Amino acid sequence: MLQKLWEILHESKLEVEEILKTAKEGEVLQAHLVHGSIEDFNSCNLLYHGDNISAMVDLLNRGYKGKLDLIYIDPPFYTMNNYIKRVEVELNGERKVIEYKAYSDIWNSFEEYLKMLSIRLILMKELMSSRGSIYVHVDFRTVHYLKVIMDEIFGVDNFINEIIWSYKSGGTSNRYFSRKHDSILFYSKTKDYIFNPVKEKSYNRQYKAYRFKGVEEFQDELGWYTMVNSKDVWQIDMVGRSSKERVGYETQKPEKLLEKIILASSNENSIVGDFFSGSGTTLSVAHRLGRQWIGSDMSNSSLLTIKKRMSYANYLEFNFENHENFGDLILEIKNRVNNNTNTLKLDIKGYKVHVESLNFTKKNRLLVEEVLYKDSLVLVDYIAIIRLKDNFLIYEDFITKDKTRIDTDFEIHFNDENLGLIAIDIFGNKIFKELKLLVNINK
Ligand SMILES: C[S@@+](CC[C@H](N)C(=O)[O-])C[C@H]1O[C@@H](n2cnc3c(N)ncnc32)[C@H](O)[C@@H]1O
């Protein structure tokens, strides 16, 4: 196997050289920047939709080499499973759960998987700053092979920790010890890496007070403890079924885990990257902790989940190049002109989605067809009106935990006749309509 690993590494290095040689600035890449302004290094919250190789090459082309202080990735684990996104809709007062594919973790061979990651790890190293660190979150299936691969890419001397994330979850075995931990490999780029020790509780023996001179002790419902620098085994709960954090994306990681990593290995304003963003846990925590962030994912449902989760002002700047509509909104539009102010009254009557274009099982497809027939608008997750010349956001509305449907009847005022309507359905399909085509605006 060792021989195979060297071959994988050798081929990956050659492939990266080739990728970097051929990808010139301005070339159309397969990842689209869907949020953020890339030129602004000082406030660069960026989100890419597409394969992360393209996202990283684009960043390197645009001057992000050596700019990221922290990269955390939680790639597919080589489980040979497909993962789903669950969405709930309220149909005539009844909650229904629709499931569809979020991403695939099925590979032709282990070599294919390892090469996929090796190529990306080499690119990540290029993006890391001289004070940077990388955390690679995997499990028992791949960690030992990745340790060898990462030793080679980042240097064995830059290996800092194998962090064990230990959790409780359902399921045990009579044939082996129940597997209840993941491994996170932590490497730095150089010896001068950022590290802010994070404290944790350490309970005294028998939970009693020691009362040592000069040692500060605390007490909670379990008993007496001191605060010590964190160890490399972390007991953190998974995102449970009833957890407030839960966004319905399988393999979503807990915010507490990311909080610990981001606090330890970045400073305020550091750029934090996660190129397998999933539901956007890293991006969301980084944002909350005052870090800049860069994310990418190739799954439609991931992107929608991230956008919903990152519900901060003006976060949306869509890129509509190569856009394909998989659904349509049925609209009634009324346009009034009054003292130079255009008023647009929109009444959204219904939603159509091309069910064939989505990856449903038969049961879920029938359920979607039922919803489309009975109350199609519960499938619309997000709606926005933008000014096309500069993508300025004029109106937006989206479903949140407390709001189960978008407003279908609203009025906006505008001064420019070129407007666009964007809708995103709960599956992640984007619909774009140029309103100019539908309404005759008299200015
Ligand atoms: C395990 S999930 C990440 C979960 C995430 N840490 C969270 O807390 O939600 C892995 C993600 O990697 C994405 N992915 C897999 N291969 C990719 C690639 N080549 N480029 C971009 N994203 C990829 C998948 O779509 C999936 O969303």
Side-chain angles (χ1 to χ4, degrees):
M1 187 66 196
L2 258 184
Q3 181 57 33
K4 264 257 166 287
L5 287 184
W6 301 138
E7 280 168 26
I8 289 169
L9 270 160
H10 181 66
E11 286 168 19
S12 303
K13 281 177 191 163
L14 291 180
E15 218 159 291
V16 169
E17 271 173 31
E18 198 53 36
I19 291 168
L20 292 176
K21 218 164 38 189
T22 49
K24 297 185 189 74
E25 189 162 358
E27 189 176 326
V28 179
L29 293 159
Q30 271 155 29
H32 307 295
L33 191 63
V34 290
H35 164 77
S37 159
I38 196 149
E39 282 77 27
D40 191 355
F41 291 104
N42 297 319
S43 62
C44 73
N45 297 329
L46 306 173
L47 181 59
Y48 283 90
H49 187 192
D51 190 301
N52 47 20
I53 289 189
S54 296
M56 288 190 273
V57 169
D58 193 44
L59 289 166
L60 289 170
N61 279 340
R62 304 213 207 193
Y64 280 76
K65 187 177 162 80
K67 291 267 192 259
L68 277 64
D69 282 343
L70 170 64
I71 295 177
Y72 164 88
I73 58 163
D74 169 28
F77 280 17
Y78 195 71
T79 59
M80 293 295 175
N81 287 326
N82 281 322
Y83 287 93
I84 55 168
K85 166 92 201 257
R86 284 190 187 85
V87 284
E88 284 190 6
V89 287
E90 207 175 287
L91 188 62
N92 303 337
E94 204 187 320
R95 280 228 165 276
K96 304 255 186 197
V97 179
I98 304 174
E99 295 181 347
Y100 61 102
K101 192 167 140 190
Y103 69 95
S104 165
D105 186 9
I106 296 176
W107 306 88
N108 291 319
S109 65
F110 191 39
E111 286 80 6
E112 180 193 45
Y113 170 87
L114 289 177
K115 192 167 166 195
M116 177 283 288
L117 261 184
S118 303
I119 290 173
R120 288 159 177 84
L121 288 169
I122 297 170
L123 288 168
M124 285 176 210
K125 187 180 174 199
E126 293 294 300
L127 290 167
M128 282 163 66
S129 74
S130 58
R131 303 208 62 204
S133 306
I134 182 164
Y135 289 68
V136 175
H137 187 148
V138 286
D139 72 4
F140 64 94
R141 295 174 183 90
T142 61
V143 63
H144 309 97
Y145 303 94
L146 279 170
K147 170 74 173 62
V148 177
I149 285 177
M150 290 187 74
D151 278 350
E152 182 59 23
I153 297 175
F154 295 94
V156 70
D157 291 346
N158 292 321
F159 169 66
I160 313 288
N161 280 121
E162 177 184 359
I163 295 160
I164 301 298
W165 171 35
S166 147
Y167 45 76
K168 279 189 189 160
S169 65
T172 56
S173 171
N174 292 329
R175 306 213 0 108
Y176 50 84
F177 298 111
S178 305
R179 293 170 179 144
K180 301 294 169 193
H181 81 269
D182 290 0
S183 298
I184 304 174
L185 298 174
F186 166 20
Y187 284 74
S188 64
K189 176 96 170 251
T190 67
K191 288 278 157 274
D192 185 29
Y193 60 97
I194 297 169
F195 192 72
N196 310 308
V198 176
K199 297 281 180 191
E200 65 179 13
K201 287 179 182 178
S202 170
Y203 285 99
N204 299 352
R205 253 173 244 125
Q206 297 175 335
Y207 301 100
K208 288 183 181 153
Y210 290 153
R211 303 197 200 290
F212 291 139
K213 237 191 175 165
V215 179
E216 204 176 356
E217 290 180 302
F218 309 89
Q219 192 182 24
D220 66 9
E221 61 289 351
L222 279 181
W224 288 90
Y225 63 89
T226 52
M227 292 303 285
V228 298
N229 286 349
S230 178
K231 296 181 271 303
D232 57 3
V233 177
W234 300 356
Q235 175 74 49
I236 295 174
D237 287 343
M238 294 180 103
V239 181
R241 278 180 195 283
S242 56
S243 163
K244 276 197 190 139
E245 281 177 40
R246 196 178 172 92
V247 292
Y249 200 86
E250 273 194 317
T251 69
Q252 178 187 352
K253 299 299 178 297
E255 293 203 359
K256 259 199 180 153
L257 181 80
L258 269 303
E259 231 169 66
K260 206 158 170 173
I261 292 171
I262 293 172
L263 286 173
S265 291
S266 68
N267 294 324
E268 268 190 44
N269 293 323
S270 284
I271 304 179
V272 175
D274 181 349
F275 297 100
F276 294 85
S277 304
S279 68
T281 313
T282 310
L283 315 183
S284 169
V285 176
H287 194 87
R288 172 158 55 78
L289 296 176
R291 272 66 173 168
Q292 301 177 65
W293 50 264
I294 300 177
S296 68
D297 205 289
M298 62 186 189
S299 145
N300 251 0
S301 62
S302 149
L303 264 282
L304 178 65
T305 310
I306 293 171
K307 283 183 189 152
K308 265 180 84 175
R309 189 167 183 176
M310 310 286 284
S311 53
Y312 50 86
N314 286 334
Y315 72 101
L316 202 76
E317 280 174 37
F318 276 111
N319 183 341
F320 282 104
E321 278 161 39
N322 306 324
H323 179 71
E324 209 178 338
N325 281 344
F326 284 113
D328 199 8
L329 283 170
I330 304 152
L331 304 173
E332 201 177 279
I333 298 172
K334 286 191 191 126
N335 192 191
R336 278 199 323 265
V337 180
N338 185 5
N339 294 340
N340 280 339
T341 330
N342 284 313
T343 309
L344 179 68
K345 191 172 177 317
L346 264 183
D347 197 355
I348 307 168
K349 296 286 187 201
Y351 177 64
K352 283 192 276 192
V353 62
H354 308 315
V355 183
E356 319 75 52
S357 66
L358 295 164
N359 221 331
F360 293 122
T361 57
K362 192 171 173 211
K363 184 179 134 214
N364 283 285
R365 184 194 165 115
L366 289 175
L367 178 55
V368 175
E369 279 167 356
E370 183 191 347
V371 177
L372 280 171
Y373 178 68
K374 290 186 174 159
D375 189 2
S376 60
L377 285 171
V378 294
L379 297 179
V380 181
D381 207 69
Y382 177 89
I383 191 145
I385 308 262
I386 56 167
R387 191 166 64 201
L388 283 180
K389 70 173 180 216
D390 54 2
N391 281 0
F392 178 76
L393 189 63
I394 298 175
Y395 173 88
E396 77 173 341
D397 186 22
F398 48 91
I399 292 177
T400 63
K401 278 211 167 87
D402 310 314
K403 189 173 192 284
T404 55
R405 55 194 306 147
I406 51 149
D407 297 334
T408 53
D409 196 350
F410 57 89
E411 204 171 77
I412 56 161
H413 300 289
F414 62 99
N415 301 317
D416 199 289
E417 62 187 24
N418 292 317
L419 301 186
L421 172 78
I422 299 157
I424 306 177
D425 71 18
I426 59 172
F427 311 115
N429 286 315
K430 290 185 211 110
I431 290 99
F432 175 65
K433 271 176 175 307
E434 261 191 63
L435 291 180
K436 196 186 168 197
L437 300 175
L438 298 163
V439 60
N440 184 16
I441 299 167
N442 307 310
K443 270 184 117 179

